[in-house]
Amino acid sequence: MRAGMKTKIIRVCEAKIMAKGSSVGLSFYAFFANKHDDPDLLMEVAHWWMMEMKLDHFEKAERIKSLVSAM
């Protein structure tokens, strides 16, 4: 996954955790605008989320942050 995307995922997870608490869940769409202006990046993250990590549609932000930080 691209370094810029990793940074963005961690930043979004931290913001959601701060706003809604440690039990907040996210889908991979949380890291993108409603308008898919970069479909290749969207598919890259979707592939990582579903195929590589085998995550559910919604996962805890804490878990996502931990997985991405470990990469």
Side-chain angles (χ1 to χ4, degrees), residues 1-14 26-28 31-32 44-46 48-49 52-53 55 59-71:
M1 186 183 312
R2 302 173 200 180
M5 192 65 216
K6 290 179 192 177
T7 302
K8 182 176 183 179
I9 289 172
I10 291 168
R11 190 174 53 237
V12 168
C13 286
E14 288 173 346
L26 301 173
S27 79
F28 66 87
F31 312 111
F32 297 93
E44 184 179 326
V45 174
W48 174 82
W49 189 284
E52 292 179 33
M53 303 308 296
L55 300 172
E59 289 287 341
K60 301 288 184 204
E62 293 274 355
R63 180 171 185 212
I64 300 305
K65 180 182 168 189
S66 176
L67 289 171
V68 173
S69 294
M71 294 174 70

Side-chain angles (χ1 to χ4, degrees), residues 23-55:
S23 64
V24 66
L26 301 173
S27 79
F28 66 87
Y29 286 114
F31 312 111
F32 297 93
N34 286 338
K35 184 177 120 187
H36 302 302
D37 54 357
D38 191 344
D40 291 333
L41 184 56
L42 174 68
M43 293 308 295
E44 184 179 326
V45 174
H47 183 270
W48 174 82
W49 189 284
M50 291 184 269
M51 304 301 286
E52 292 179 33
M53 303 308 296
K54 309 238 185 276
L55 300 172

